[in-house]
Amino acid sequence: METQHKSQKTKKIIYWIFTLWMSLGMVSTAIVQLMKNKDELANFTNLGYPAYLMIIIGVWKILGVIAILVPKMPLLKEWAYAGFFFLMSGAVISHLIVGDSAGKTFPPVLLLILVIISWYFRPADRKISSQTIKNS
């Protein structure tokens, strides 16, 4: 019983470390995108994306972080995690397609890994269950 409690506590610590790290990464990159930073704009245009997409993605990142950090609403959290997964995997693929350096490809790879770890270690009260769906 004691080891199970320690295991749950360890998982919760891992969850919060990686979730806060992911959230910090998403919010900081969202701010850079919303401010239309010239380096970020150059990055987007190099990938072949229009500048206005930075604003859309920046807003989505902030809304996704809010959804993941606030209590309750497990279905919304699942959508946010899915959005982050598609966003960051798309960024990684985009960088690979245009032949960007590892230095430009690493940040979205790191955020993708953080998203996956945060999702995997999320506590039971932040997961969707059949009971959650019935109560909706």
Side-chain angles (χ1 to χ4, degrees):
M1 190 69 149
E2 179 70 25
T3 56
Q4 185 180 11
H5 177 70
K6 280 186 176 182
S7 173
Q8 290 298 94
K9 187 175 180 178
T10 301
K11 285 181 180 180
K12 193 173 259 191
I13 290 169
I14 291 169
Y15 166 77
W16 279 111
I17 289 170
F18 282 90
T19 300
L20 292 174
W21 189 8
M22 174 199 71
S23 298
L24 178 63
M26 291 295 179
V27 169
S28 63
T29 56
I31 290 168
V32 168
Q33 290 163 343
L34 292 171
M35 292 176 59
K36 297 181 183 175
N37 173 278
K38 68 178 175 91
D39 293 334
E40 187 68 4
L41 181 58
N43 186 36
F44 260 70
T45 55
N46 179 55
L47 294 173
Y49 298 117
Y52 68 82
L53 188 60
M54 288 175 34
I55 303 301
I56 296 169
I57 289 175
V59 169
W60 282 347
K61 284 180 177 179
I62 290 171
L63 293 175
V65 167
I66 292 168
I68 286 172
L69 292 180
V70 299
K72 312 271 189 217
M73 299 183 285
L75 180 60
L76 187 59
K77 289 180 191 332
E78 288 296 319
W79 279 88
Y81 276 117
F84 284 159
F85 179 83
F86 294 128
L87 181 64
M88 299 321 322
S89 62
V92 170
I93 292 165
S94 295
H95 284 286
L96 292 173
I97 287 172
V98 300
D100 272 344
S101 67
K104 284 191 174 186
T105 308
F106 179 73
V109 168
L110 176 60
L111 280 172
L112 179 60
I113 291 168
L114 295 175
V115 167
I116 292 167
I117 293 171
S118 173
W119 176 84
Y120 181 80
F121 283 99
R122 71 201 187 287
D125 63 342
R126 292 178 170 261
K127 292 181 181 178
I128 284 190
S129 68
S130 58
Q131 189 64 34
T132 305
I133 295 169
K134 287 178 188 174
N135 293 338
S136 296

